[in-house]
Every structure is written in C-alpha cells, then in structure tokens.
C-alpha cells in the first residue's frame, strides 16, 4: 500500500513502513529521512522548468544523496544508511501527480468540463402591435412584424425583418428599418414614411406625405395630390420606382 508524504518548501519527510511517495515542493532544503530504494518513489514534477533528471546537480551525502535544482535542495537518506545513486530513486521522478498530492488529495482530480456546446439562438418572433386612437409609439423586433397605429399621430418602427406598418389616421411617422418592408400612410396627409435598408414599398395616403425609400430598390406609391413633388424626387433617386 502506498502512503503519501508531502512537505512545504524546506520541510522534512518520513514515510515509515510500506511503499511511500515523497512529493517535493520547490524552494529551500527538503529532507527525506527513510527512503527505501526499489520500494519508495520520489516525485519532482513540482520543480519549475525541470524536464529531465539528468539536469539535476548531484552531491554526495553520507548515507544517501543530495539533489540540487535552482533554489531547491533535496537531501535523501536511505533507510539502510548506505549511499544512493540517481537510479536508486526510480525512473519516473517527473511523472508523479505532485500538484494534487501537495493539496493532500489521494486521487486524481476530476477533469474539467469541456466547453458547453454552442446553441443557436431561437428564430425571431413575429409581433403584432396595435395602437389606440391616441398618439402611440410602437417598435417591432427582429421578426416579420405587423404594426397598426390607428388614430392619432403615431410613431411606428419595424426593426429587423420584413414588416408591415399601417399608420392609420393622423400625421404619422413610419420607419421600416432593415428588411423588405411595406409602409402605409393613412388618408390624413402630412405623414412621413422612411423605408430604411432593403427593397421597400411605401404607400402615401394623403396630401403632403413625405416618402423616403432609403437604401435599396424601393417602390413609392404616392397620392395623386403629391404627383408633382414626387416627380422631382424621382429625378434624384434613380433606384426608386414611383407610382401614382
């Protein structure tokens, strides 16, 4: 049965009867008082930057052996009182689980959980938002939304997705946002419609409506009373198509 013996830097260790594992912490002078060759083991894996036992400096020690690495000195005395060689200490000096032995654990720590799988966000929800007879402010989401302003001077913003915006009566402000949106002004006149990015359709409903398609190949449908104004607008917007 193997017992564990670990000490802080500069500590002293005694294994006793049985097969022992001596775990050495870096720094200072550590002493092992009863090492049994062929039975006990030595773990030096906690010494920083030590990749091979051949890199250790060895000093003769009556009844044992001294190992030196950087600021660490390990004095090992054999239980029989005879001198030791590096080969007497075993072949796996740098393979022991020093970190968890120094913490007093007697079994390997649980492996860390792997990174959780990447989950795709859910599809955006399509919204239906309705106003009142007063002045309302309605804002859609990332889906294909339906916004109904009804009466009053409303503010409607579609957001992402291909949205339908109906201003209703009143002087409304309709903004489609990204996507291929359809914006409808009411019959009152004086409303402002802005399509935003995407191929939009804007429908004026009364006199003095202002229609701005934005980026993309848009279709603008104006009320007959605004024909002259929109003819001038079409001359500066070659991507737009205008219908009366």
């Amino acid at each position: 049965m193997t017992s564990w013996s670990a000490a802080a830097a500069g500590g002293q260790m005694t294994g006793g009867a049985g097969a022992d594992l001596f775990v050495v912490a870096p720094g200072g002078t550590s002493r092992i008082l009863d090492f049994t060759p062929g039975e006990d083991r030595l773990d030096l894996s906690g010494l920083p930057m030590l990749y091979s036992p051949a890199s250790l400096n060895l000093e003769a020690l009556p009844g044992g052996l001294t190992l030196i690495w950087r600021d660490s000195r390990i004095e090992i005395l054999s239980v029989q009182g005879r001198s030791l060689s590096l080969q007497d200490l075993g072949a796996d000096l740098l393979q022991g689980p020093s970190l968890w032995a120094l913490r007093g654990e007697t079994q390997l720590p649980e492996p860390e959980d792997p990174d959780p799988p990447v989950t795709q966000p859910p599809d955006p929800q399509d919204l239906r938002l309705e106003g009142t007879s007063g002045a309302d402010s309605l804002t859609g989401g990332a889906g294909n939304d339906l916004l109904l302003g009804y009466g009053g001077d409303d503010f409607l913003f579609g957001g992402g997705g291909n949205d339908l915006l109906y201003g209703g009566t009143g002087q409304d402000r309709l903004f489609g946002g990204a996507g291929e949106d359809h914006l409808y002004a009411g019959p009152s006149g004086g409303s402002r419609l802005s399509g935003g990015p995407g191929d939009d359709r804007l429908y004026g409903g009364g006199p003095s409506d202002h229609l701005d398609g934005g980026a993309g190949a848009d279709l603008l449908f104006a009320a007959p009373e605004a024909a002259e104004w929109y003819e001038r607008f079409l001359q500066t917007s070659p991507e737009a198509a205008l219908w009366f």
Side-chain angles (χ1 to χ4, degrees):
M1 179 177 181
T2 301
S3 61
W4 306 87
S5 184
Q12 182 171 286
M13 294 176 278
T14 301
D20 305 307
L21 173 62
F22 296 98
V23 181
V24 178
T29 300
S30 301
R31 292 181 178 86
I32 300 173
L33 304 182
D34 59 347
F35 189 87
T36 302
E39 184 177 66
D40 295 339
R41 295 166 52 209
L42 180 64
D43 178 8
L44 303 181
S45 60
L47 300 184
M49 307 298 292
L50 177 60
Y51 302 119
S52 170
S55 301
L56 293 165
N57 293 318
L58 308 181
E59 285 187 1
L61 177 69
L65 180 67
T66 298
L67 309 179
I68 301 172
W69 176 253
R70 294 190 171 185
D71 61 346
S72 302
R73 183 182 180 90
I74 305 103
E75 296 179 355
I76 307 169
L77 297 174
S78 71
V79 71
Q80 298 94 347
R82 66 175 180 82
S83 61
L84 297 171
S85 67
L86 188 62
Q87 288 73 25
D88 291 328
L89 305 181
D92 56 350
L93 301 182
L94 304 179
Q95 300 177 17
S98 65
L99 295 180
W100 50 276
L102 285 172
R103 294 196 296 264
E105 300 173 0
T106 58
Q107 60 182 4
L108 289 172
E110 293 293 331
E112 296 183 1
D113 292 334
D115 294 335
V118 177
T119 58
Q120 298 296 327
D123 293 334
Q125 182 180 3
D126 299 337
L127 304 177
R128 177 187 174 98
L129 304 177
E130 300 186 36
T132 65
S133 58
D136 304 301
S137 179
L138 306 177
T139 300
N144 302 325
D145 306 315
L146 172 62
L147 278 64
L148 305 170
Y150 297 134
D153 300 336
D154 304 310
F155 173 86
L156 277 61
F157 178 67
N162 304 325
D163 307 307
L164 297 177
L165 278 63
Y166 295 88
T169 58
Q171 296 181 340
D172 305 309
R173 291 178 296 162
L174 279 60
F175 298 88
E180 299 179 0
D181 308 307
H182 290 201
L183 281 61
Y184 298 85
S188 303
S191 296
R192 300 179 66 88
L193 282 64
S194 177
D199 301 338
D200 307 305
R201 294 194 176 197
L202 280 61
Y203 299 84
S208 302
D209 286 336
H210 179 89
L211 278 61
D212 181 359
D218 307 304
L219 291 175
L220 279 61
F221 299 84
E225 294 87 343
E228 182 179 353
W229 189 93
Y230 285 116
E231 285 177 352
R232 294 197 301 269
F233 173 79
L234 184 60
Q235 294 174 2
T236 61
S237 302
E239 287 185 333
L242 188 65
W243 297 81
F244 297 98

